[in-house]
């Protein structure tokens, strides 16, 4: 299982600068950063960071609207300054306010496509063509900045709360959630069998499926 730590001040500093420059609507958001010891492996890909919405239930322990974890190993040892900035900018792009419901949400990627397809067929779909524009119009561009109250904060999740965060996280969560959707009805035993895990982990996974907001942004 992954180890969690307080994120370093360099993460907070870069995030604050990026919010002022490119994501001013996030001045109202409470964003917590946490270090994970290393990147997450997912189907052969490395995930260096992940943004997640904090649900109302979880806000009891974690007074944030979003939590973003960053791989400490990559942040401290592998990424250049420019890459660090791109990584945090990317995660912040996942964090938006929905204008229709006035709630914070995780926005999916504008473009989901294989390199080979773009190479062979160009921007063949309307998604690829208009996706970005449509998305920005719908979500952020119309948010009048006059309404931004600057009530938010960017902070490292405190040591005191990191344990709570750790207990709310499981690398199998997304897969388990998909499995639960396919199955319709999900039980601890089904999870145990599917993922070959012990009862205690399956039972805490089931609890997570029911509490933690879906669709984290990688
Ligand atoms: Zn992403």
């Amino acid at each position: 299982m992954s180890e969690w730590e307080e994120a370093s001040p360099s993460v907070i500093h870069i995030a604050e600068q990026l919010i002022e420059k490119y994501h001013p609507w996030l001045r109202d958001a409470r964003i917590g950063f946490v270090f994970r010891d290393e990147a997450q492996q997912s189907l052969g890909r490395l995930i260096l960071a992940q943004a997640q919405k904090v649900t109302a239930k979880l806000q009891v322990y974690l007074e944030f609207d979003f939590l973003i974890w960053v791989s400490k190993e990559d942040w401290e040892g592998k990424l250049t300054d420019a890459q660090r900035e791109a990584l945090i900018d990317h995660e912040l792009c996942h964090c938006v306010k929905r204008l229709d419901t006035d709630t914070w949400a995780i926005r999916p990627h504008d473009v989901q496509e294989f390199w080979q397809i773009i190479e062979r067929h160009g921007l063949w779909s309307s998604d690829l063509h208009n996706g970005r524009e449509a998305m920005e119009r719908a979500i952020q561009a119309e948010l009048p900045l006059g309404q931004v109250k600057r009530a938010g904060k960017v902070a490292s999740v405190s040591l005191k709360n990191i344990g709570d965060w750790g207990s709310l996280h499981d690398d199998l969560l997304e897969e388990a959630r998909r499995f639960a959707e396919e199955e319709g009805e999900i039980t601890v035993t089904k999870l145990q069998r599917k993922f070959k895990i012990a009862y205690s982990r399956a039972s805490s996974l089931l609890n997570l499926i029911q509490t933690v907001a879906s669709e984290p942004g990688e």
Side-chain angles (χ1 to χ4, degrees):
M1 293 295 274
S2 13
E3 303 271 332
W4 306 93
E5 271 180 53
E6 279 184 273
S8 72
S10 59
V11 177
I12 308 302
H13 181 69
I14 289 176
E16 280 172 344
Q17 284 185 326
L18 288 166
I19 287 171
E20 285 309 308
K21 208 165 162 190
Y22 302 119
H23 312 265
W25 36 83
L26 291 180
R27 286 174 189 163
D28 278 353
R30 297 167 301 167
I31 304 177
F33 281 89
V34 62
F35 266 154
R36 182 191 162 113
D37 55 346
E38 55 182 12
Q40 182 180 330
Q41 302 259 8
S42 173
L43 301 171
R45 279 185 326 123
L46 279 184
I47 301 171
L48 304 185
Q50 194 172 60
Q52 200 155 328
K53 202 184 122 165
V54 182
T55 57
K57 268 186 191 172
L58 301 188
Q59 282 179 351
V60 176
Y61 328 86
L62 296 159
E63 294 184 322
F64 291 102
D65 301 302
F66 297 104
L67 277 178
I68 300 176
W69 67 250
V70 177
S71 157
K72 184 183 180 190
E73 190 188 4
D74 293 86
W75 186 265
E76 292 190 340
K78 296 182 181 167
L79 299 178
T80 64
D81 285 350
Q83 287 173 320
R84 285 172 162 194
E85 213 173 291
L87 180 67
I88 300 297
D89 198 3
H90 179 107
E91 297 310 318
L92 292 174
C93 277
H94 279 298
C95 306
V96 294
K97 178 166 262 180
R98 291 181 57 122
L99 291 180
D100 48 355
T101 52
D102 199 36
T103 51
W104 298 109
I106 289 289
R107 169 168 76 145
H109 295 133
D110 294 339
V111 173
Q112 180 110 305
E113 191 46 283
F114 297 103
W115 288 122
Q116 292 101 314
I117 296 300
I118 293 181
E119 219 165 58
R120 290 199 279 267
H121 308 279
L123 300 179
W124 65 278
S125 72
S126 54
D127 260 16
L128 287 173
H129 244 298
N130 313 326
R132 177 185 163 169
E133 262 185 73
M135 192 66 95
E136 307 239 307
R137 267 201 309 274
I139 299 184
Q140 320 199 297
E142 290 173 11
L143 183 65
L145 286 180
Q147 289 177 13
V148 175
K149 299 182 295 289
R150 277 179 179 276
K153 64 168 180 184
V154 180
S156 181
V157 174
S158 70
L159 268 182
K160 180 168 88 60
N161 286 324
I162 278 180
D164 294 325
W165 164 244
S167 67
L168 293 166
H169 189 94
D170 191 304
D171 285 355
L172 285 174
L173 179 56
E174 289 319 298
E175 264 184 80
R177 200 195 305 277
R178 274 193 293 273
F179 176 64
E181 273 166 22
E182 286 161 17
E183 290 288 303
E185 203 181 331
I186 192 77
T187 62
V188 174
T189 320
K190 277 187 182 175
L191 286 170
Q192 271 188 278
R193 236 182 272 141
K194 166 79 179 171
F195 297 105
K196 301 184 177 64
I197 50 178
Y199 179 87
S200 57
R201 186 168 179 198
S203 134
S204 93
L205 250 186
L206 183 62
N207 185 37
L208 290 183
I209 292 172
Q210 293 160 346
T211 4
V212 179
S214 56
E215 345 147 41
E218 292 164 1

